[in-house]
């Protein structure tokens, strides 16, 4: 496996720095502090689904609110640039990712938080694969980019994706990685998780600050 692999209106972001009835933030970033709730237990296996038609996303833009144990993160999804990837995202947002850990943080040369495996092992997949879309020819993945993780084959995209928290250069010799969205709100949450690092001596492993996806809600952004 190479690089990052699979081992009209804005959306509000109430989970980032949201307050409890006592006035103390429940989860999210408050000042320089990150508060997270206890992650739920991951699934024993990943649901097996069929690849949806890319027509579900072609020519359309969507907003996804990803509710996590550390606060909400909002993506803009590029259906026009990566229709098959976004169509898959729309399907998996229907419950596939509920209560799934973000299982991998990389901190040496590649700066991403990887999520999307319900089992949290890095090997779970939705039972289908598809090819690369909208990969940058120069290998540049700016901070805030949301892209697909995959194996060594260009046709191994599935359910895992990564969020870039610091400008990153990735290999282009195998086709690159599908960019299908951008973080529009909640990068403070991702940055705070990244700042906590990983317990792995290699700088590539589970985040030291656990973070799990609780639920994903997607709406179409109208012109």
């Amino acid at each position: 496996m190479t690089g990052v692999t699979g081992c009209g209106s804005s959306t509000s972001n109430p989970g980032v720095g949201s307050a409890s009835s006592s006035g103390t933030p429940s989860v999210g970033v408050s000042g320089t502090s990150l508060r997270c709730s206890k992650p739920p237990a991951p699934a024993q296996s990943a649901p097996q689904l069929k690849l949806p038609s890319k027509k579900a996303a072609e020519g359309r833009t969507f907003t996804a609110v990803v509710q996590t144990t550390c606060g909400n993160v909002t993506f803009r999804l590029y259906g026009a640039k990566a229709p098959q990837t976004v169509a898959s995202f729309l399907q998996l947002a229907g419950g596939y990712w509920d209560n799934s850990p973000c299982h991998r943080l990389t901190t040496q040369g590649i700066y991403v938080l990887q999520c999307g495996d319900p089992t949290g092992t890095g090997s779970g997949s939705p039972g289908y694969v598809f090819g690369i879309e909208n990969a940058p020819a120069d290998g540049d993945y700016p901070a805030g980019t949301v892209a697909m993780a995959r194996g060594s084959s260009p046709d191994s995209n599935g359910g895992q994706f990564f969020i870039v928290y610091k400008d990153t250069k990735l290999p282009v010799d195998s086709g690159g990685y599908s960019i299908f969205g951008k973080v529009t709100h909640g990068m403070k949450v991702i940055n705070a998780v990244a700042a906590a690092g990983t317990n792995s001596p290699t700088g590539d492993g589970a985040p030291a600050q656990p973070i799990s996806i609780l639920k994903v809600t997607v709406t179409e952004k109208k012109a």
Side-chain angles (χ1 to χ4, degrees):
M1 294 185 178
T2 58
V4 181
T5 71
C7 274
S9 60
S10 62
T11 301
S12 61
N13 202 29
V16 178
S18 59
S20 66
S21 58
S22 64
T24 302
S26 52
V27 296
V29 179
S30 178
T32 59
S33 299
L34 174 66
R35 293 176 179 268
C36 301
S37 59
K38 182 180 179 180
Q44 294 298 307
S45 61
Q48 300 298 281
L49 307 170
K50 293 183 179 180
L51 180 66
S53 170
K54 64 182 180 181
K55 292 181 180 179
E58 282 181 334
R60 301 159 69 186
T61 301
F62 300 87
T63 296
V65 178
V66 183
Q67 181 185 350
T68 83
T69 51
C70 297
N72 287 7
V73 182
T74 303
F75 302 161
R76 177 174 295 136
L77 305 178
Y78 307 143
K81 296 179 180 179
Q84 185 62 79
T85 309
V86 174
S88 175
F89 189 100
L90 297 179
Q91 173 171 268
L92 299 180
Y96 178 86
W97 289 314
D98 289 5
N99 301 328
S100 63
C102 292
H103 63 276
R104 183 185 183 197
L105 180 73
T106 60
T107 63
Q108 303 296 320
I110 297 174
Y111 307 102
V112 307
L113 177 67
Q114 188 167 327
C115 311
D117 173 10
T119 71
T121 64
S123 61
S125 75
Y128 60 77
V129 292
F130 55 94
I132 298 169
E133 297 178 302
N134 196 41
D138 58 6
D140 287 341
Y141 295 76
T145 296
V146 185
M148 290 301 295
R150 61 173 176 81
S152 57
S153 168
D155 296 316
S156 58
N157 292 291
Q160 296 185 40
F161 61 90
F162 60 89
I163 303 167
V164 182
Y165 64 87
K166 181 180 178 181
D167 293 355
T168 293
K169 192 89 169 181
L170 294 175
V172 298
D173 54 355
S174 62
Y177 300 85
S178 303
I179 294 177
F180 67 95
K182 178 181 180 180
V183 176
T184 57
H185 296 282
M187 273 304 296
K188 286 184 178 181
V189 172
I190 305 302
N191 290 336
V193 171
T198 173
N199 293 326
S200 170
T202 66
D204 183 347
Q209 169 56 66
I211 177 172
S212 290
I213 295 172
L214 298 174
K215 183 179 181 181
V216 182
T217 303
V218 180
T219 55
E220 184 174 3
K221 185 177 181 182
K222 302 295 186 179

